[in-house]
Amino acid sequence: MAHSANTTQQPVKAFDLVSVIDFKASYGLPSCTSVAGNDLYVGYTSGHVRHFLLSSATSATNNRTKYQLRYLDEMIGVPKKRITQIIVAPTIARVIGLAENQVFVGDMFSMVGAQSYQRSMPKSVTHMAINETSNSYDLEIAVCQSKKKSLQLMLVNSERFISKQEITNLMGVPVKVHWSGSVLLIAYESHYTLYNIMARTEMELFPYNPTTCSPLLRLLQSEQFYLNGDSLGMIINQTGDVCKAPIAWINQPRFVCYSAPYIVGISSSVIQVYSLLDQQLKQKSSFANALAAADFGGHGIYIT
């Protein structure tokens, strides 16, 4: 999806749907994505991670922009294991992936596996989250581990993982986490909490139904966060207070992306675009069987 130049009357057409690439079936299905600048990394059910570069060119005759993804390189994360998460760390030139609780690391440009991390890698990992507002040159990540009521806060440099802090005595086993400065947003099996790292306090937020709602947590803009609720998208601040009217989704989203001022919900059959200025639906487009999504830093959204 690319930002549309159409700024006429309602309903607003916020995005154009543009086909940029056809995937090879031999790699299985795309299972996750991550973006750094114009570099796109796609994980597959086969265990592969492929690196693409997004380019664009605007026509002088009709002012239309053409987008293209060019394949650059690939690596095998964990052979024949579904890639469930990819994190890209441009400052240390690393791509970090997760497949069936196993972490792997490669060079983000050559896509060659980085063996120096083997001894320091966390084990039995279920989810990872970067510190979205970190000022550190190295990567700061929060790690969820299988069956543990704790979180590991770690530093990742160009050679190894370094444990910084273990947060224990949580309300349960974290399913997903979002890290932003001194705040951790935690999704458990059926509810969300907010953990303040400095005060070492955990506050209950609200429940969700795990059979119909995917736990989604993300930073929207400075000190504003999105949490996926039952048919509603809740927007809170760093103290856990609701700071905007909720998004009343027509279809429960499986993925959520943000491209200011629009929040985009992708369900199994439709793409919904709402404005954070008034929380109103601006665009709705059919899109069947979406498998993964990522946003290109406000310049557009990639969906597969």
Side-chain angles (χ1 to χ4, degrees), residues 46-47 76-81:
S46 62
I76 298 177
V78 180
K80 300 181 180 179
K81 302 296 183 182

Side-chain angles (χ1 to χ4, degrees), residues 242-259:
V242 175
C243 57
K244 287 183 180 289
I247 304 295
W249 298 111
I250 298 172
N251 298 77
Q252 185 75 53
R254 297 176 57 219
F255 312 102
V256 168
C257 295
Y258 179 64
S259 185

Side-chain angles (χ1 to χ4, degrees), residues 233-282:
M234 305 301 293
I235 300 169
I236 67 170
N237 59 22
Q238 284 194 314
T239 60
D241 296 320
V242 175
C243 57
K244 287 183 180 289
I247 304 295
W249 298 111
I250 298 172
N251 298 77
Q252 185 75 53
R254 297 176 57 219
F255 312 102
V256 168
C257 295
Y258 179 64
S259 185
Y262 301 107
I263 184 167
V264 181
I266 301 105
S267 71
S268 57
S269 60
V270 69
I271 299 169
Q272 307 157 82
V273 181
Y274 285 76
S275 172
L276 280 190
L277 301 178
D278 58 9
Q279 288 74 47
Q280 297 300 307
L281 179 68
K282 302 301 180 183

Side-chain angles (χ1 to χ4, degrees), residues 171-220:
M171 291 185 184
V173 178
V175 176
K176 285 187 178 179
V177 63
H178 172 88
W179 186 5
S180 182
S182 62
V183 169
L184 292 164
L185 295 172
I186 303 172
Y188 294 106
E189 187 176 356
S190 59
H191 69 283
Y192 296 104
T193 68
L194 184 150
Y195 187 93
N196 187 299
I197 297 173
M198 302 299 291
R200 298 185 179 182
T201 57
E202 188 173 14
M203 180 177 68
E204 190 88 38
L205 293 177
F206 61 89
Y208 68 91
N209 184 347
T211 61
T212 58
C213 177
S214 300
L216 301 175
L217 316 94
R218 67 157 299 151
L219 177 69
L220 296 179

Side-chain angles (χ1 to χ4, degrees), residues 2-16:
H3 268 307
S4 173
N6 185 352
T7 57
T8 57
Q9 302 177 8
Q10 296 284 345
V12 173
K13 186 181 180 184
F15 294 90
D16 292 315

